[in-house]
Amino acid sequence: MNQALIYILTAVVIIVLLLPIAVETEIKPSEGKVFVGPGPIRVEISVEGFSKLKAGSVEIYFKPLHERLAQEVAQALQNALQLSSERLGIPAAPLSVALFQREDFEGFATLSFKMKEPGIWPLFISRDWQSLQESDLNFQDSLYWTMPHESIEASIASLFYHDWHKGWPSRWIGDGLSGYAGYVITKEHAPKVTDVRLNDYEQRITQLLEKGRDTYDLIRDFVASDELQLAGYGVALAFWLDIAQRYGEETIRKFWQQANAQPRRWCLALGLICFGGVDAQKAARILSELTGEDIWAKLQNMDLHEVLQTLEQAAGAGI
């Protein structure tokens, strides 16, 4: 065989061997499939064989062993979403949650979960818990902040997120108001979660300040990098905390009412030609009329020193 051809074939074999190959293996027959490959280990989980409990707009999937806990989770989510709706006037979207035992996934350092059934959010419990009173801080964070955040953001998304192709300029509304709802809920139901969340946001803002960054653009920076995106949740929350502190929480309710009263977006030609709807700039104009501030300019030049101060004040406030 030609020596040059041998070199080529050898190189091809080496490249193939070096390519990351995803390997599928079972954790447990009823719990899901694990895909081991580049990046985090990806786990596909399913609610096949689970029981279902429906309470208002909340659905809980669970195993019979955890029926009592499922009932408590459903009630807790209903109470949380009702509190947010009463305070802010923003209706929560239907929420589906599945309870999985975290012990079933022990032994894996890094996991990324994906539901086989779209639209269901996994919540991870301990097999030893009999009630919510036994749950830990991580679970309470998921229950009282993350799940309401997703439900409320889904409701907000239907009104504002049609401008995603411009770089998600409306995330100051979606993630900001959902974060504010999480703040309101945890202040009432899980104060320790509030403290941990705000402390995390403060640290991320402090890291940006230590790198010499003094301002944040809520229109563009949210999608600029992972570091800026993670900090953006805190900046967007601080924006709405400041609005509530200076103009009253009723301003948030009026903002939602006025934005929601605008003509809905509709499109022709497979979405190529669209009319109506509330984009980020129009939403800023609505809020400007309510506050007298130039909101669009403020959003693009958030002072990180003031953001940090707002978060620190909120940690001890009773909004």
Side-chain angles (χ1 to χ4, degrees), residues 259-291:
N260 198 39
Q262 301 297 312
R264 283 293 193 270
R265 185 175 178 82
W266 59 282
C267 299
L268 299 172
L270 299 177
L272 297 177
I273 304 174
C274 297
F275 305 90
V278 183
D279 60 15
Q281 200 159 3
K282 189 170 185 178
R285 286 198 298 270
I286 293 172
L287 194 55
S288 291
E289 293 173 359
L290 291 170
T291 62

Side-chain angles (χ1 to χ4, degrees), residues 210-248:
E210 289 174 348
K211 292 180 179 180
R213 189 183 186 102
D214 295 317
T215 62
Y216 189 99
D217 185 343
L218 273 171
I219 303 302
R220 298 177 181 84
D221 287 344
F222 237 126
V223 294
S225 68
D226 289 343
E227 181 185 34
L228 288 177
Q229 173 173 282
L230 292 172
Y233 293 107
V235 179
L237 170 59
F239 172 84
W240 289 104
L241 284 167
D242 181 64
I243 292 294
Q245 289 166 3
R246 293 200 291 133
Y247 304 106

Side-chain angles (χ1 to χ4, degrees), residues 244-314:
Q245 289 166 3
R246 293 200 291 133
Y247 304 106
E249 210 170 69
E250 183 63 22
T251 301
I252 296 177
R253 178 184 290 272
K254 290 179 180 177
F255 167 76
W256 173 258
Q257 290 173 343
Q258 293 187 24
N260 198 39
Q262 301 297 312
R264 283 293 193 270
R265 185 175 178 82
W266 59 282
C267 299
L268 299 172
L270 299 177
L272 297 177
I273 304 174
C274 297
F275 305 90
V278 183
D279 60 15
Q281 200 159 3
K282 189 170 185 178
R285 286 198 298 270
I286 293 172
L287 194 55
S288 291
E289 293 173 359
L290 291 170
T291 62
E293 285 192 73
D294 186 343
I295 296 297
W296 188 246
K298 180 177 181 177
L299 288 167
Q300 296 175 83
N301 192 38
M302 293 289 293
D303 187 312
L304 289 180
H305 294 280
E306 294 179 0
V307 165
L308 186 59
Q309 186 177 24
T310 299
L311 293 173
E312 290 170 346
Q313 290 173 348

Side-chain angles (χ1 to χ4, degrees), residues 12-69:
V12 170
V13 170
I14 292 173
I15 291 172
V16 169
L17 290 175
L18 290 176
L19 284 174
I21 300 175
V23 180
E24 179 179 330
T25 180
E26 296 284 341
I27 299 182
K28 291 186 177 180
S30 63
E31 296 303 339
K33 295 179 179 179
V34 183
F35 298 88
V36 182
I41 299 171
R42 181 168 58 86
V43 182
E44 183 183 82
I45 50 182
S46 172
V47 295
E48 292 177 6
F50 280 44
S51 300
K52 183 171 75 169
L53 167 68
K54 186 170 178 60
S57 63
V58 176
E59 282 185 341
I60 308 293
Y61 293 85
F62 62 95
K63 293 185 175 180
L65 176 66
H66 302 124
E67 182 173 3
R68 177 185 170 186
L69 186 60

Side-chain angles (χ1 to χ4, degrees), residues 76-88 90 92 95 140-152 177-194 237 249 319:
L77 285 173
Q78 277 191 297
N79 293 342
L81 295 175
Q82 182 178 351
L83 174 63
S84 172
S85 179
E86 290 173 353
R87 290 275 294 268
L88 308 182
I90 303 174
L95 181 64
Q140 291 170 25
D141 179 276
S142 297
L143 179 64
Y144 289 113
W145 191 297
T146 304
M147 292 300 100
H149 179 117
E150 298 301 341
S151 173
I152 294 162
L177 283 178
S178 300
Y180 186 85
Y183 172 80
V184 166
I185 292 166
T186 56
K187 269 289 186 181
E188 178 77 20
H189 295 290
K192 289 183 180 179
V193 171
T194 313
L237 170 59
E249 210 170 69
I319 290 181

